Amino acid sequence: ADAFSMADLNLSWEDGSANALLGPSGCGKTTVLNVISGLLRPDHGKILFDGRDVTGLDARGRHIAQVFQFPVVYETLNVFGNLAFPLRNRRIPESDVDHRVREVAELLDLTEDLKTPARMLSAAQKQIVSLGRGIVREDTAAVLLDEPLTVIDPKLKWHLRRKLREVQRATNLTMIYVTHDQHEALTFADNVTVMHDGEVVQTGTPQALHEHPATPFVGYFIGSPGMNLISCTRTEGGLDCGGFQLPLPLHAGLNAGIQSSALTLGIRPEHVRLISGDDDRSITADVSLIEHAGAYRIMTVNAGGVSFRLRAGEAVQAAEGDTIHCVFEEESVHLYPRDVPDV
């Protein structure tokens, strides 16, 4: 697209599915959304809806509904008038308009607000009305949500995200949710596409992205906290991580296709396990920082100049400055060629 330089993309979404485009600001998420909706025309390639080429159609011709960061409502109208607007614009009979508006209002818990002027609504209510205006047309092909919770009070975000998911399931509409917030993406979508610098890095279920990240970027970007990434070198004896040595993990498929000896090791903090004593598999490290996170603690430790994080239960007796022993759970170690783009 003229607005953004992007690599060739080949994306598909199943009809009636809940999807997310996830990535940092400026990675191309909104550009993809605008190409789907018809607001941008790609330099080459095709946009297909159910196998039909819609590349030459504008947004209206594609029957796409978009919900933006900032709720778009007609403040001179009440809630009923806002929901009815797309139908009246298409000259739908008024009896059908009334029936459909009340049907959508019931779905969105807006029945009690139908007579309320839009200017009196909260930002969250306006966003719900904006969504309702998108789904009120029964010919809507897909709903595109571009960072829809950005301006919503944090206390209401969970409720609104749950409502979006309920509506998606109830209507069986295809929804594509754009966000930089991994929590929003992973709790809304069944299928998540991760983008970075104008490229699609990986697509999969939330579980697959968490357990089998294709690149160091995906491993670090998804997870709270993200995956530890440690530079290492493959040797005859195993892995030289600078401050400590590890045996080469042997579980199936780990080293398939990796020719380089210069590697990046990835391990999630929850897969670094504290042990009570020192043995030939363990790493000895000093605790430099402890962060409390409710039911567990995140400990930043240093092993011979190499820092990484681990997750420990609140019952673990350790303080900053203590020396601990830990092991990397072998089946959860990931190895990447060092030339794969890092975070």
Side-chain angles (χ1 to χ4, degrees), residues 6-310:
M6 300 185 69
D8 289 344
L9 304 178
N10 185 9
L11 292 170
S12 62
W13 288 281
E14 292 292 324
D15 189 33
S17 60
N19 310 279
L21 276 173
L22 173 65
S25 297
C27 72
K29 306 183 300 295
T30 297
T31 299
V32 172
L33 221 59
N34 289 338
V35 168
I36 295 169
S37 70
L39 294 176
L40 283 176
R41 182 76 63 88
D43 293 331
H44 57 274
K46 294 180 180 180
I47 313 298
L48 304 177
F49 285 8
D50 288 331
R52 183 170 66 100
D53 188 351
V54 300
T55 313
L57 298 179
D58 60 14
R60 181 184 176 92
R62 298 184 189 190
H63 303 296
I64 289 289
Q66 281 193 271
V67 179
F68 300 97
Q69 286 186 26
F70 300 97
V72 180
V73 297
Y74 302 112
E75 301 214 342
T76 56
L77 302 176
N78 60 17
V79 170
F80 186 100
N82 268 274
L83 295 177
F85 187 86
L87 302 177
R88 289 171 172 165
N89 205 31
R90 285 162 175 73
R91 304 190 184 284
I92 304 293
E94 197 62 28
S95 60
D96 293 340
V97 170
D98 186 80
H99 173 76
R100 181 59 178 165
V101 166
R102 294 186 184 280
E103 191 175 51
V104 169
E106 182 72 22
L107 178 65
L108 297 175
D109 298 328
L110 289 172
T111 302
E112 300 298 318
D113 301 309
L114 285 174
K115 295 182 180 179
T116 303
R119 65 179 180 275
M120 296 179 62
L121 301 175
S122 68
Q125 289 172 312
K126 288 179 179 178
Q127 198 62 292
I128 287 287
V129 171
S130 184
L131 173 66
R133 210 170 53 236
I135 68 174
V136 73
R137 288 171 18 224
E138 298 195 69
D139 64 351
T140 299
V143 179
L144 312 182
L145 304 121
D146 191 357
E147 301 271 10
L149 304 185
T150 299
V151 299
I152 305 303
D153 185 297
K155 294 179 183 177
L156 296 173
K157 282 190 176 185
W158 178 83
H159 169 76
L160 193 50
R161 186 171 61 250
R162 187 181 65 174
K163 174 56 67 178
L164 288 172
R165 188 64 169 121
E166 287 175 359
V167 169
Q168 191 278 324
R169 285 177 173 151
T171 60
N172 204 36
L173 272 169
T174 304
M175 291 192 181
I176 303 173
Y177 188 116
V178 160
T179 181
H180 65 276
D181 186 319
Q182 58 155 323
H183 185 66
E184 288 182 15
L186 300 179
T187 54
F188 171 80
D190 296 319
N191 184 72
V192 179
T193 296
V194 181
M195 295 190 66
H196 187 219
D197 288 342
E199 296 186 11
V200 169
V201 184
Q202 188 174 359
T203 296
T205 64
Q207 181 178 0
L209 294 176
H210 190 272
E211 294 180 2
H212 306 289
T215 70
F217 172 78
V218 176
Y220 184 80
F221 194 72
I222 289 179
S224 184
M227 177 178 277
N228 294 300
L229 299 173
I230 301 168
S231 294
C232 61
T233 303
R234 180 157 45 190
T235 65
E236 286 187 15
L239 297 173
D240 180 356
C241 297
F244 55 92
Q245 311 292 313
L246 290 175
L248 188 66
L250 298 177
H251 58 279
L254 180 74
N255 303 307
I258 298 180
Q259 304 299 322
S260 172
S261 63
L263 303 172
T264 295
L265 180 151
I267 181 81
R268 293 203 175 278
E270 57 267 36
H271 297 141
V272 181
R273 183 164 46 86
L274 286 172
I275 60 174
S276 56
D278 192 7
D279 65 28
D280 57 359
R281 299 178 306 127
S282 71
I283 301 165
T284 301
D286 298 323
V287 179
S288 53
L289 179 67
I290 297 178
E291 301 167 87
H292 293 263
Y296 59 88
R297 293 181 291 174
I298 299 297
M299 300 170 59
T300 301
V301 302
N302 187 293
V306 178
S307 289
F308 55 89
R309 290 179 292 185
L310 60 89

